[in-house]
């Protein structure tokens, strides 16, 4: 079952455009210091997650398989979607880690730690980035999938997600939401490694992820 769902959720074209996206981002998004890598990657990877995961279930509709899929027990249908989401999130997480390395390889950013201006080592920054990306990718991926299921259209799911993305990934979002911003990691105080107030935003993302996960069965049942 896992191999079948992997083939369905990860066609070659999705892997190709996702990898190209990360490569191009690491080439054109200029940075000077290593701490900027996470900032440069979080918001674009959120968009990639929305596009990548929006068709997790709607592909059943576009491929005319939804009528057959409805005949399966609800547990099997949810398990199928869960596996697809998990596989896609793992791929996105791996691409995030690869993209982080590409920024180093292509742009050779300076290190504040080596310059004695930061107490956070490069390895610490990398693992902090990975932890933040787990939450970011999960949130934006499941959001676009849930909206696509609700409206039975992946483009509507992506479009609604982008509206929220534009609001939160802005100066207005930073000023109004502060540490509760969905992109709190990108807006954190990078000069003070002891300031973990930005974790409030990621905790909010996790809470919303849980709520969306609980809502998904009801939406699938009603919208089919």
């Amino acid at each position: 079952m896992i191999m079948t769902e992997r083939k369905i959720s990860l066609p070659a074209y999705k892997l190709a455009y996702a990898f190209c996206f990360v490569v191009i981002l690491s080439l054109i998004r200029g940075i000077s210091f290593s701490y900027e890598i996470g900032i440069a990657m979080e918001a674009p990877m959120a968009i990639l997650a929305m596009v990548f995961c929006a068709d997790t279930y709607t592909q059943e509709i576009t491929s005319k398989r939804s009528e057959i899929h409805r005949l399966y027990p609800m547990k099997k249908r949810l398990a199928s979607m869960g596996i697809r989401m998990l596989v896609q999130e793992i791929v996105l997480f791996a691409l995030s880690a690869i993209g982080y390395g590409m920024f180093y390889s292509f742009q050779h950013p300076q290190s504040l730690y080596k310059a004695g201006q930061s107490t956070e080592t490069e390895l610490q920054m990398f693992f902090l980035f990975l932890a933040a990306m787990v939450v970011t990718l999960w949130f934006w991926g499941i959001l676009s999938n849930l909206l696509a299921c609700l409206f039975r259209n992946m483009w509507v799911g992506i479009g609604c997600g982008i509206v929220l993305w534009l609001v939160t990934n802005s100066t207005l979002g930073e000023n109004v939401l502060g540490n509760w911003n969905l992109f709190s990691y990108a807006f954190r105080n990078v000069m003070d490694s002891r300031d973990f107030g930005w974790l409030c935003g990621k905790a909010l993302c996790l809470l919303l992820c849980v709520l969306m996960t609980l809502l998904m069965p009801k939406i699938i049942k009603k919208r089919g």
Side-chain angles (χ1 to χ4, degrees), residues 168-170 173-174 177-185 187 201-202:
T168 52
N169 184 41
S170 65
E174 179 184 9
L177 299 174
N179 286 332
W180 293 96
N181 195 313
L182 301 177
F183 290 107
S184 59
Y185 168 77
F187 292 123
K202 291 306 164 191

Side-chain angles (χ1 to χ4, degrees), residues 7-19:
K7 291 179 181 179
I8 293 174
S9 60
L10 290 177
Y13 78 89
K14 288 183 73 171
L15 294 173
Y17 78 65
F19 182 75

